[in-house]
Every structure is written in structure tokens, then in C-alpha cells.
Amino acid sequence: MKKLTQATEQDLIVGLQGLDLNLEAKTLSGTGLVFDEQLNEFHCLWDDSFPEGPERLHAIKEQLIQEGLLDRCVSFQARFAEKEELMLVHSLEYIDLMETTQYMNEGELRILADTYDSVYLHPNSYTCACLASGSVLRLVDAVLGNEIRNGMAIIRPPGHHAQHSLMDGYCMFNHVAVAARYAQKKHAVQRVLIVDWDVHHGQGTQFAFDQDPSVLYFSIHRYEQGRFWPHLKASNWSTVGFGRGQGYTINVPWNQVGMRDADYIAAFLHLLLPVALEFQPQLVLVAAGFDALQGDPKGEMAATPAGFAQLTHLLMGLAGGKLILSLEGGYNLRSLAEGVSASLHTLLGDPCPILESPGAPCPSAQTSLSCALEALEPFWEVLVKSAETLEEDFLEEENVEKEEEGPWQPPALAIPAWPVLQARTGLVYDQRMMGHYNLWDNHHPEMPQRVFRIMRRLEELGLAGRCLTLPTRPATDAELLTCHSAEYVGRLRATAKMKTRELHREGSNFDSIYICPGTFACAQLATGAACRLVEAVLAGEVLNGAAVVRPPGHHAERDAACGFCFFNSVAVAARHAQAISGHALRILIVDWDVHHGNGTQHIFEEDPSVLYISLHRYDHGTFFPMGDEGASCQTGRAAGTGFTVNVAWNGPRVGDADYLAAWHRLVLPVAYEFNPELVLVSAGFDAARGDPLGGCQVSPEGYAHLTHLLMGLANGRIILILEGGYNLTSISESMAACTRSLLGDPPPLLTLSRPPLSGALASITETTHIHRRYWRSLRVMKVEDKEGPSSSKSITKKVTQPANRGSCVGMITPDGNILDTDAGKPTSASPVAASTPDQAKSETTVVEFSQDQTSEAPTGEDTADQTPSEAATGEAAVDQTPSEAATEGATWDKTPSEGGAEMIPTPPALCTDNQTPPASPAQGATTQISPSKLTENLRTLDLNSEAQEAANSQIPEDERLLGEAAGGQDRDASGLTQSFGEHADADQVVLYAVTPLPWCPHLVAVCPVPESGLDVTQPCRDCGTLQENWVCLSCYQVYCGRYVGAHMLQHHEVSGHPLVLSYIDLSTWCYNCEAYVHHQALLDVKNAAHQNKFGECIPHSL
């Protein structure tokens, strides 16, 4: 067995010792709470029925007292925000104006309030708003000063609608915006995440940061295609920020009422959490409105308090747990009080209640999510390939459940139950389990020291002392017989009396097994320990637990030992849980051991009460235990079909980014839909960095995050049972990290050094496609265009390389207002900049095409309701897809109308490649457009016609591709020339050149040039043609291009090899990225081809 060299082992130890795991004193505890009765000293003087009133805080206080939460929190005195602090977001003139309201009479207050939208003023409004902002700032100081772990400000008035110089929507000062700027200025915080789950869009917060890449703003809100307040097109998914802030504004708009917990959770899993992990915030602020709760008269949604507990839990895994909630809206007093209470319970570390009816996201939610993902993909590496679409013929109609029609009618609001626990985390370990050892090989990887070293590390870090250590016991025969045959149990028991030679012979009868006289007793003890922990969790003795046991168990079959395993501890524990609960308890088994748990899969493959999810190295069936049992196509049998989920990695170096991608895209969506009552983890740590068998790169921090994310399920009842893991340092640090999470410590900061591997994404996507027929949470819905003509199209997607968000080219910053088209009031916004960041996608350099519009520029009102096609003249911007916003320099010259407020052109709801939103909400801003889009626009451009949408719908999807030489050139590229001919009166003509990607994630697939070199005259292997041939850079086979015989395209589809080199012009094309690539890694092969073609090396290097 291969061992790590001493140098390698030492390097690993040094690296792991640098973790915060070593510093027990750094673990913060305590939840701060600011609640000040002074905040109730204002109300609407002229309307007693106004929904934003003092009774909101009264109801919350009563609820918190009833549940004993006030005494559990660290109380902080509210303070007033200083003018200098408010000026971090608001203008001095505006602050001074608000200050004068203290001295106005009722009539003057009413006159001033009527100049704004949906506000009232009281002589104490200014004082209370300053106190509310200061309350959040006090928590910022406490959290960033390490006084507490997290906090909540229960304040009014709300703040997220307030803008630079404008009251709006009950809000005077923008508390979370001021807090973000304050954290950056006073505490040198570089990156802040603001999450806004209020049912109304926080346009004030968005406008404050829409050009700022240091603040990531995420809002999930009711929109209904702009019919819901604040009626702004900037609230739609199409607005992603401007200038250097492109990609840092994320809007998830709900376009129907009745949205449920499953819809909100899906938005967090598929979009917010992946982007947040890449963004790496140092502080998370939540604009915590609770008007999306069931029963709220404003929101008309159906979320539950338990759902908001889940959202809070998911956010607690970010920024090292530095999380502050600031109360915004919520106008059903009971729902508001329950929602605040649920979130506060979670901040305090209480387990999330089981969701009453989690289900899967509804079709409307999936549509909004798909559009938002499409819009954000160009800016975030982690989102690449995240919106894969399903081939229409993949799902047979009879196998797909019919989706619910219309809004969901919720049951009565459930009151969450919060368990009272004696201890939080149980721990089982018995040194007697070291009695199983290899008589013939002292260096066998499954060695007794594994469990000893883990326990020693837990004790060194003080973690064992924080756990409740439970006594162990051997498993009974009755327990073992729930998963194993009596003959097999008897056979293994008999080994205790065998001689050494007999033991060797008996072990050789199984696959990868050694047996010693103590083997049976140790295996019996390991399984019994797991059962004892199950008993403690189900009885409420502990909330969760960790079993440090050996030998491992997940390979053990009903009748056979296998892969170091004798009794299947996880399987027996699951059956024991069902037995003592008295019913078929819904149990989720997550197996993250690097080897597939063949035994566990077989035991439960016909049982729908147990969902088995395994993530493992498969390597096309060549990795242990070999064969096709771990393939993604294995989904279970009979009634259990769909309840076996295999994510099969086909290579080494899989790490944190890959496992988290699987969690967000597949594991958690399915788990929430299954809604387990108990979670068991086959916690092998042989996928850990440094393991001699796994060859993977998961870090202790990564395991901590995986554990934390699973803890939101099953009312927090989760048990980790040790399986494999053969680097003693790795398994010790990894189990310690997981134990910290179980104890309620926030997961450590996790820096992802790279995006998910393309091969890992392929494995996740393959499993997702297979299981879409069984799990509605994995299905991609068709999009219904509700803003334009009725249509139904699948959401299509181009794989786009993320932007380099550090640069900005050609910024234009027009000043002005954005008009609220429905309310008819000007909304002040910070100057908007539309610019083109350097993007890693194949870009197109476009020479300006000008249209003389000076004489017919319409006013803002004239263009308010124009579609992008109708707005091709005047002020309106040309529509474009998010990925096409990467192109540089294409502008439409526009002349601002005099006196007209600038409008946001109406974006279509359908997020297809040929129909997406304008880039900028301000008139006069640069609009970027790609050549394929330009071709399409010019082909259909008729300034007096209303038929553009019909023309667009007739353009085949493949005509919208940029121009892939090896796999598919735009067949109608000639349309560009034709279009210029049709519009020859244009002032300028567009010329464009393709700029290749400077890097792509598939360069790892490039193999060294064969020793025999390259022959650019080599014919196509399939048809023998000498025209337009390409060479595969993985296997160096030669095939012809698409417009000859398309044999290279066929080769890619069969082999999956991504990169090919043209023997015509020596360009390199990546099928997966759908882009040309030019990188140092390609220099050798390009030089070889150039030498063969021209007799000399390439004159200039990359």
C-alpha cells in the first residue's frame, strides 16, 4: 500500500495546523439584540389604519417574552446615528430636511409626506429613524468587534426603500445601506453581502450599490411583471448592476402570489449561496422583512416561520457566521412575531423546525430562477453550466407529474416547535475498537490508530469536552439481522475462534478484507455504538452526534464483507431508528466517502423511506468497488426507484468547490423535497486533501460547510458515522471541523481556489438529468412570456466564461432620474454607469454604428411602455442577453429629450438568447451588443414595423451562436452583409473581430503533442477529406469540420474531448465553452502545427 512520503506528510501537517481549528478561544458565542421602546414613539397622525405602526413591535416583544428569547440574547442599547454616518448613504440636504420635520405641525408634515410615495411623517419620525439606523450600527460594532457572533435589530421605521435624497415606502433612512458603508469605513471590511427577503424590492439599497463591486445585493421579492410596488423595471432579474458593479446586483422576482418555502429555499440554494461563496463576504446584513409570510395583507405569499428559520440557517454558514438581521416590513402581527421569533431562535443556535410542506419550487419560481441564473452567469464562475436545460424528449410525458395549477392554498399557519435539549452533540467512541488490526501488514491503511488519533484531536481542541460522551454497546443480533443474514452473522462470529491461517483464508474469500480474532467484536461494537447514538437523538437526549467507530461499514453487503467493512453500521442504524420510532421514518443517508457505498445502496434500493445519496469516485467503473453499481444511472428498484442518487466523479482532484456545487444543485434540493426526519452521514474522509487512496482535495473547512448545510434538515437531527479516511492528520482535522459544526459553531471561512471542475459539473449534470423524472426540484421549467405575446420556449443556455470583475472600460455616467412608470414619480438614483468589463468569454470588438436620432428623440413618457424592438429609435436601448453584454463598445447614439425623465425600457419576461433585457436603466448609457445579436437586430430592423417578435421566433436557435468553426458557424452570417445593405443610409458600419478566451477550465484536457509530431495534411479519419480538418487536442485524431462532414463534432459528442485545433488557421475551439481559446498551454501544439505547415515556429509567442 502506497504511503505518503515524510515530506508530504509534514507539508500537510503544517498546512492543517494553520487552521482556526487550533484556536478554541476564537469561537464566538452570543446573539445580540437591540430592542428600544423609544422606536414606538411615532405613528401616522392622519390615518389610524396605516399598516406601519407601533403595534408591530408590541406583538414581537410579546412573542419573544413568551418564548423566553429576550433573556437568551445579549441586549444592546440603541444609539443615535450621527449625521456623518447617515451621510455615508444620504445627502446632507436631505438629512437636514428630515431633521426639520421635528418642528412641523401636522398639516406641514402631511404636505411634505405627500411629495413622496407611501410615507407618513410624525414629529418623532426623524428621531426614531436615527435611532433605528444607530441600532444596526451598534450591532455592526459588536459583531465585528468580536463581542457577539450575530445579532438582530428589531426596529422601525423600516429602511430599505429610502434613497440618497428621497423618502419612499415607509422608509426615511436606509439602515442596512448605512451599516454596510459604516462597516467598510470604520472596520475596514472589504466585502459585504446584503440579503433582502422583504416582499417588496429594496430599490433604495440597490441604487446605493449598483455600481459597487464591494457590496453584493441580493433581493427576492414580489414583482408580477412590474405590477407590484415599487413598480420598477429595475426590480426585474435583468438588472445586474452597472459599470464595475455589473454582476453584483441579483434580483429574483416572484411573478405570482402564494410563493412557498420551497421557492425561497431554491433561490438560496441555486443562486445566492453559490455566488456568496465565490464573493466571500466578511459581513452579511439582512433586510429582514416578514411580509412574505402567510397571512400578510401586503405580501400575499405563503412562506412560513420555519421557512425563514431555514433561510437564516443557510446564511449563518457565510462570513464566519457574522450575520445581522435588521427588521423591515411585516404587517400581519401574528405572522410577523412568529417570523422574527423563528429567525432569532436560529441565530441562537436552535435547530430549524421541519417544514410542514416543503415540496419543490413551483413553475413560476423556476422560471424566475432560470432567468436570474442566465443573467448572472457571465459574472460568476460558480454559475457556469448552472442553468442546463433538459432535452425536450428526455422526459416521457407519462413519467412526469402534473404541476399544480394556480396559486397554492396554504394550510393554517403552523407554529414551529423548538425542542428543549439536555445537550447538543453526542459522541460515541470505544478504545476497544482498536482490537481489529491486520496480522500480516502493519501498514494497512485501515489501521487502529485512525479512531485514536481522531479522539485525541477532539480532546486537544476541547471539542470532546463540549460533547455528551455516550456509553457504547455491541449491536444485538436482532439489530444486525435487519440488514444481514443469519448465516453471514454466524460466519463472522465464528472467526473469533479461528487460527491465523484460517483467518487469512477466510479473509481472502472476500474483497479487500483482513480478519483477526477481534474483528467480530469490533464490528459488533461499531454498529452498536451507531445504534446507541440513534437512540439518544430520537429520544431528545442530544440533538445530533458523531460516531468515531471502526471498522467502517458502508461496503458490507447482506451476506458478505467487502472493502474493509463487516457490518453496515449506517444501514443497521437506519433500520434501528425506524424500529424504535414505530413507523417508516423518512431517513436521508448521505455517503461522502470517496468510495461508493455499494452495501448501503443494495440494502435500501427498493425502499422509498430511505433516500440514499452517494458522492464518490467512479472513474467510469474502474475505481473501487468497481463495476457499474455506483453509476449515475443506478436509481433504485421497484418502489425505491428514484431514491438512490449517485454522483459519480470520473477522476481525481475533486475538491470543496465541486462538493459544494453538488450540494447546492442536487443534494440539498432533493433532500429538502424528501423532507427527512433523520439524517445519517457515512462520513468517510478519504476524499480529504492528502488521503493516499482518494486523490481528492476536500478541506476540513469544506467538510464543516457540508455538515452545516445538512443541519437545516430533519429538525437538526443528524448523525455522522465514520467510514473511511486513511491520512491520520486529514481525518482528525476533518472530523474536528464537522464536530464544530454539530456543536453550532459557524463554519470557518472557506476560500475556493477555483471554480468547479468541468468533469465534476458533468457528473452533477448527468445525475440531475436522470433524476429530474423523480424529483420536481431538479426540473427546468419552460418559460411563459407574460409580458409580451404568449409563447412557450425552453430556456436555452450558452456556457459562458465569467467576467473579470476587476476592470472597467469606456464608462459613461449620465446623470438623471429613473421614473417610476406606474406611480409617475421621479425616483432619485445615483449616477448610472454602463460599461464593459474585461470578460473572459470570447468577446467581440464592435465599431460604433450610429443612427441619427436627434430630431425624433421621444420623451420619457413616450417610451415608458415600449418593447425593446419598438424602442429601436429614440432613447430606448437595444435589447441584449446577459452573456452578450460582454461585448465591447457597441453604442447607439441617442439625444436626451429635454425635460423628460429617463425611463427603464420594458424587458421581456422570456430569457432566451434572442430576447433579454437592456443593459442600462438610464437614457444615454452605452449599450453593448454582440455580433450575433447585431445580425439578428439588423436583419429584422424596420423602424415602422411591429413584427419583430414574430421574426425573432422564426430564427433557429443555432443561428444565434457566435460562430463556432469546428462545431457550428452561423449559417446566416451572410445576413450581416445583407442587413448593412438594407440599411446603407446608416452613418457608420459595424465591423467586428472575435477575441478568444484568455483561459478556459478545460485546458487540463490538452495532452502533450505526440512524439511523431503533427501532420496538417492528414485527412479526416472518417471521410478522408482534406478540407477544413481539425485535430483533437486530447487524442490527436483528425476529423473534418461541420460544413464538410461534421465528423469532429461527432467525435466530441462521443468522446467528450473539449478542445480542437484548426489545421486551416491554427485557431483553437472549446466545445464546452462555445468559444475560441488562446492560452500559454496551447503554445506547444500551435508551434508544432505552425512548424509543420510553414516550416518555422510561430514568430510571436503568446
Side-chain angles (χ1 to χ4, degrees), residues 12-351:
L12 182 64
I13 292 172
V14 171
L16 291 172
Q17 285 176 341
L19 295 172
D20 281 347
L21 288 170
N22 230 349
L23 305 174
E24 181 68 18
K26 280 193 173 181
T27 300
L28 294 174
S29 61
T31 294
L33 182 69
V34 181
F35 191 110
D36 196 308
E37 295 289 351
Q38 294 180 72
L39 295 172
N40 284 326
E41 295 177 357
F42 75 102
H43 61 277
C44 184
L45 296 170
W46 51 86
D47 184 358
D48 292 337
S49 64
F50 204 91
E52 206 298 291
E55 62 276 4
R56 298 175 63 233
L57 298 197
H58 293 322
I60 292 172
K61 183 177 181 180
E62 182 179 334
Q63 184 74 31
L64 299 187
I65 292 174
Q66 178 182 330
E67 298 191 23
L69 294 177
L70 288 180
D71 294 337
R72 294 177 60 191
C73 297
V74 180
S75 180
F76 286 93
Q77 185 69 37
R79 72 166 178 86
F80 289 92
E82 302 292 337
K83 278 191 179 182
E84 292 76 14
E85 294 166 342
L86 296 174
M87 286 171 61
L88 294 170
V89 171
H90 301 285
S91 70
L92 177 59
E93 295 76 12
Y94 171 67
I95 298 169
D96 288 343
L97 175 61
M98 293 299 104
E99 187 177 25
T100 64
T101 62
Q102 299 176 94
Y103 315 107
M104 293 181 181
N105 60 38
E106 179 177 338
E108 294 169 330
L109 290 169
R110 188 164 187 174
I111 290 172
L112 179 58
D114 284 345
T115 65
Y116 302 113
D117 187 5
S118 304
V119 301
Y120 69 83
L121 285 167
H122 182 279
N124 292 331
S125 290
Y126 174 78
T127 298
C128 291
C130 288
L131 197 61
S133 285
S135 299
V136 184
L137 300 186
R138 179 65 187 93
L139 287 179
V140 169
D141 286 335
V143 168
L144 296 179
N146 294 326
E147 297 178 61
I148 53 175
R149 177 184 298 171
N150 53 44
M152 188 171 193
I154 300 176
I155 55 176
R156 59 181 291 266
H160 67 144
H161 298 305
Q163 297 164 49
H164 180 256
S165 301
L166 195 73
M167 283 191 77
D168 208 351
Y170 312 166
C171 303
M172 180 179 288
F173 298 132
N174 197 311
H175 315 307
V176 292
V178 171
R181 289 293 186 223
Y182 177 80
Q184 291 178 325
K185 181 178 180 181
K186 180 174 179 180
H187 296 279
V189 169
Q190 296 176 335
R191 295 176 305 280
V192 179
L193 166 63
I194 296 177
V195 176
D196 191 336
W197 67 44
D198 190 281
V199 81
H200 301 90
H201 177 235
Q203 80 276 28
T205 313
Q206 175 172 308
F207 295 155
F209 302 110
D210 59 6
Q211 298 181 71
D212 187 350
S214 71
V215 177
L216 174 63
Y217 175 69
F218 174 93
S219 178
I220 183 167
H221 50 266
R222 183 176 169 187
Y223 180 63
E224 294 189 284
Q225 289 86 25
R227 294 189 295 273
F228 191 70
W229 197 91
H231 312 292
L232 295 174
K233 300 306 177 183
S235 306
N236 205 1
W237 53 264
S238 52
T239 301
V240 297
F242 308 101
R244 295 181 65 240
Q246 280 190 307
Y248 293 88
T249 294
I250 303 176
N251 285 314
V252 179
W254 294 147
N255 286 314
Q256 68 180 36
V257 297
M259 306 303 270
R260 297 178 284 169
D261 296 333
D263 305 308
Y264 282 83
I265 291 170
F268 271 50
L269 295 181
H270 289 286
L271 184 51
L272 173 59
L273 292 186
V275 170
L277 278 171
E278 184 175 338
F279 178 67
Q280 285 293 297
Q282 297 159 297
L283 175 67
V284 180
L285 301 172
V286 181
F290 292 93
D291 37 8
L293 281 168
Q294 176 190 330
D296 191 277
K298 295 287 185 181
E300 299 182 78
M301 296 297 175
T304 69
F308 278 101
Q310 292 285 346
L311 302 185
T312 304
H313 174 79
L314 293 173
L315 292 177
M316 288 169 68
L318 302 171
K322 296 183 184 302
L323 173 65
I324 297 172
L325 274 60
S326 175
L327 181 65
E328 296 284 353
Y331 306 102
N332 176 301
L333 299 185
R334 181 192 170 195
S335 297
L336 170 64
E338 290 282 357
V340 170
S341 168
S343 291
L344 194 54
H345 269 289
T346 307
L347 290 174
L348 285 163
D350 295 342

Side-chain angles (χ1 to χ4, degrees), residues 809-810 835-836 844-849 885-892 926-929:
V809 180
S835 65
T836 307
T844 305
T845 302
V846 183
V847 180
E848 187 175 50
F849 174 91
T887 56
E888 295 184 39
T891 63
W892 294 95
T926 301
T927 302
Q928 300 110 14
I929 185 166

Side-chain angles (χ1 to χ4, degrees), residues 41 61 94 118 147 191 198 385 402 462 476 646 807 813 817 829 865 871 903 908:
E41 295 177 357
K61 183 177 181 180
Y94 171 67
S118 304
E147 297 178 61
R191 295 176 305 280
D198 190 281
K385 292 188 177 179
K402 297 298 183 183
T476 66
N646 284 318
S807 61
T813 56
N817 292 332
D865 296 319
M903 303 298 300

Side-chain angles (χ1 to χ4, degrees), residues 461-479:
L461 295 172
L463 299 175
R466 295 172 60 191
C467 298
L468 176 64
T469 301
L470 299 169
T472 59
R473 62 168 178 83
T476 66
D477 280 8
E479 291 163 351

Side-chain angles (χ1 to χ4, degrees), residues 432-657:
R432 290 177 292 171
M433 286 182 278
M434 296 178 68
H436 168 65
Y437 56 90
N438 193 313
L439 295 169
W440 305 273
D441 181 4
N442 291 332
H443 299 293
H444 192 281
E446 209 293 280
M447 60 181 64
Q449 291 86 347
R450 294 174 62 240
V451 291
F452 174 77
R453 286 282 294 273
I454 290 173
M455 277 304 300
R456 189 176 73 180
R457 188 60 176 152
L458 295 181
E459 290 167 354
E460 289 172 350
L461 295 172
L463 299 175
R466 295 172 60 191
C467 298
L468 176 64
T469 301
L470 299 169
T472 59
R473 62 168 178 83
T476 66
D477 280 8
E479 291 163 351
L480 294 174
L481 292 176
T482 60
C483 296
H484 299 284
S485 68
E487 293 78 10
Y488 172 66
V489 173
R491 181 179 179 180
L492 197 56
R493 179 180 278 114
T495 63
K497 298 180 180 180
M498 288 183 180
K499 297 178 181 180
T500 302
R501 182 175 297 178
E502 294 173 316
L503 292 170
H504 189 277
R505 183 166 53 247
E506 180 68 357
S508 65
N509 291 327
F510 302 108
D511 185 0
S512 302
I513 286 294
Y514 69 80
I515 306 175
C516 76
T519 295
F520 175 76
C522 290
Q524 195 179 28
L525 195 58
T527 303
C531 290
R532 175 66 186 92
L533 197 48
V534 164
E535 293 165 0
V537 168
L538 293 185
E541 190 177 353
V542 293
L543 172 63
N544 54 44
V548 183
V549 297
R550 67 176 290 274
H554 69 144
H555 293 307
E557 301 277 6
R558 175 176 173 79
D559 295 299
C562 178
F564 312 163
C565 304
F566 298 90
F567 295 135
N568 199 311
S569 301
V570 165
V572 173
R575 286 298 185 220
H576 186 57
Q578 292 179 326
I580 62 180
S581 67
H583 69 282
L585 200 71
R586 291 189 310 277
I587 298 177
L588 166 64
I589 298 177
V590 176
D591 189 338
W592 69 44
D593 189 282
V594 81
H595 302 93
H596 176 243
N598 52 290
T600 312
Q601 175 173 306
H602 289 147
I603 289 169
F604 298 112
E605 62 186 350
E606 296 185 6
D607 187 351
S609 71
V610 177
L611 171 61
Y612 176 67
I613 302 178
S614 177
L615 303 93
H616 52 269
R617 275 191 68 178
Y618 180 61
D619 293 17
H620 305 288
T622 63
F623 199 77
F624 188 88
M626 277 134 352
D628 63 356
E629 292 301 313
S632 58
C633 60
Q634 299 287 339
T635 61
R637 298 170 55 190
T641 301
F643 292 88
T644 294
V645 181
N646 284 318
V647 179
W649 309 129
N650 285 311
R653 298 187 298 278
V654 183
D656 296 338

Side-chain angles (χ1 to χ4, degrees), residues 752-765:
L752 300 179
S753 58
R754 58 164 176 78
L757 298 171
S758 60
L761 289 176
S763 296
I764 297 168
T765 300

